[in-house]
Amino acid sequence: MIDRYLVDNVTLSMMTASQKASTFMLNRCRIPEEIFYEARGLPDIEKLRPLTYPITTTVLDSVKVVLATIKPEDKVVDLYRNEGNGDVMLLATALTEMSVSAEQLFGDRWIIATADKGLTRKAVELGVPTCTSTHFIALV
């Protein structure tokens, strides 16, 4: 089993250019399309384009699972302010990959790298592993 990472915008914004260009990032990390949209202001974001995890119909099915668990007090998504779309896509992507791994003898473990407390709480609720941005950057 290999640990693979889905990287949040907050984490990306804390990383140096050399960390983003590392072999670790290339081999073990993916960035959902919606996170690229959130990170569009970062100067070197386009260099990470090969790490794109596309939005597929399977991921969209997982979005329904995530949204079905959202309560008003959750600090994950606020559609009125157009906030949290990336968080939902991170969770949906993780659930999608966890489902694939569950069917494999030695499936990978997918971990969301984030400093977002609301996202982390929702991930715990959904059984999705997370690590802090600081921990992730230390791995890179």
Side-chain angles (χ1 to χ4, degrees):
M1 175 184 345
I2 295 174
D3 285 346
R4 301 211 179 266
Y5 296 87
L6 296 168
V7 186
D8 189 11
N9 180 41
V10 174
T11 303
L12 287 172
S13 68
M14 296 170 66
M15 297 174 71
T16 65
S18 62
Q19 289 168 331
K20 291 175 192 171
S22 70
T23 302
F24 183 89
M25 282 291 289
L26 180 65
N27 294 332
R28 309 231 341 239
C29 302
R30 295 295 171 259
I31 304 168
E33 281 185 82
E34 184 62 26
I35 298 302
F36 272 102
Y37 178 76
E38 287 184 354
R40 66 192 177 278
L42 295 177
D44 52 356
I45 191 62
E46 284 306 314
K47 292 179 183 174
L48 296 174
R49 189 61 65 183
L51 304 182
T52 301
Y53 191 106
I55 298 171
T56 64
T57 55
T58 308
V59 172
L60 291 175
D61 285 339
S62 295
V63 166
K64 291 189 286 188
V65 171
V66 173
L67 290 178
T69 70
I70 303 290
K71 299 176 224 48
E73 63 271 13
D74 289 338
K75 302 290 187 218
V76 177
V77 65
D78 186 340
L79 297 177
Y80 294 107
R81 295 164 129 181
N82 196 26
E83 293 177 353
N85 300 336
D87 295 351
V88 171
M89 293 310 293
L90 282 162
L91 291 164
T93 302
L95 289 175
T96 299
E97 285 300 328
M98 289 168 62
S99 176
V100 170
S101 291
E103 295 177 11
Q104 299 172 339
L105 185 58
F106 299 107
D108 295 335
R109 184 168 76 133
W110 286 83
I111 303 164
I112 296 174
T114 186
D116 185 311
K117 289 182 174 79
L119 171 57
T120 300
R121 278 191 297 277
K122 183 52 71 175
V124 168
E125 180 184 324
L126 292 169
V128 174
T130 64
C131 70
T132 65
S133 298
T134 305
H135 176 79
F136 173 76
I137 292 169
L139 293 173
V140 175

